[in-house]
Amino acid sequence: MFRIPFLVALALIVAFGVGIISTVSALKATVGFGAIALGPWVAFPDAQTENTDPYAKAHRARAGKLLYGGAEGLEFTAAMDSTGEKLSSGCSYDIIGTTPPARFWTLYTANASDQPAKTDPALPSAINAWTVLREPDSTFVIHVSPAAQPDNWLAIRRIGPFKLVLTLLDTPTAGSSGLIDLAMPAIVKTGCPDA
């Protein structure tokens, strides 16, 4: 007597469960279509425009991220170094070069969930265009390491894999179609003392 309603209820639970799980996994897997990769750095220039796809809109809304206007800013993330190896907080890296033209830029580390990585408040957890020490030719070297480093140091905790987030603000490149020609800084592994 209760066999058919039970099977219908079970089928509905499975269908809704699979639908919800697949939607959540799709939102976690991508921030949208139209990625541009410049070495290890990846950006989604259309993710903040009205022409963006529904997955990017949902991902941004779920994460509660601030959206920049077309020419206000552009966010690049890197989860690998310049050789294609995943970034690991047990290793040290040098970010070498310069950023594309921008009035201001910031660089910080994020965990696998795209949340800013927590460090000791006394340690430098971010670096920006005003605080970076530059060479005479305007290039810089930023040391990303769990151990203290001289000059430009971005401290990380040993949390496993991490990402670097470089945000360019008030940049002409955000509204430009010439993003492919930009020169981004290299990410070079300098050692893994724990390996």
Side-chain angles (χ1 to χ4, degrees):
M1 171 165 148
F2 291 110
R3 183 173 174 219
I4 292 180
F6 174 74
L7 291 176
V8 169
L10 183 63
L12 288 174
I13 290 171
V14 169
F16 281 115
V18 169
I20 290 170
I21 290 170
S22 66
T23 302
V24 169
S25 65
L27 289 178
K28 287 183 180 177
T30 181
V31 295
F33 303 104
I36 293 179
L38 302 170
W41 301 97
V42 178
F44 294 88
D46 292 334
Q48 302 170 147
T49 66
E50 62 184 21
N51 299 327
T52 190
D53 62 277
Y55 287 104
K57 289 179 183 176
H59 186 273
R60 293 285 181 167
R62 184 174 186 268
K65 289 192 174 181
L66 176 67
L67 297 178
Y68 303 111
E72 289 178 340
L74 188 59
E75 182 179 276
F76 287 90
T77 59
M80 296 179 288
D81 64 16
S82 292
T83 63
E85 290 185 46
K86 281 194 159 204
L87 297 176
S88 170
S89 58
C91 298
S92 297
Y93 300 89
D94 282 351
I95 301 172
I96 304 168
T98 187
T99 63
R103 187 176 303 271
F104 188 73
W105 57 263
T106 62
L107 176 70
Y108 66 91
T109 59
N111 59 23
S113 302
D114 291 330
Q115 299 300 316
K118 295 186 185 326
T119 60
D120 184 324
L123 300 178
S125 61
I127 198 162
N128 61 53
W130 294 343
T131 60
V132 70
L133 299 174
R134 296 180 185 272
E135 300 293 329
D137 63 354
S138 293
T139 61
F140 53 75
V141 177
I142 300 171
H143 308 289
V144 181
S145 175
Q149 301 289 321
D151 302 324
N152 298 315
W153 174 42
L154 188 59
I156 53 174
R157 281 182 36 214
R158 298 179 199 279
I159 55 170
F162 73 97
K163 297 178 183 178
L164 292 166
V165 180
L166 175 66
T167 306
L168 305 174
L169 298 168
D170 196 10
T171 175
T173 59
S176 171
S177 60
L179 285 172
I180 303 296
D181 299 331
L182 294 179
M184 296 294 289
I187 304 171
V188 179
K189 184 191 292 186
T190 58
C192 296
D194 292 343

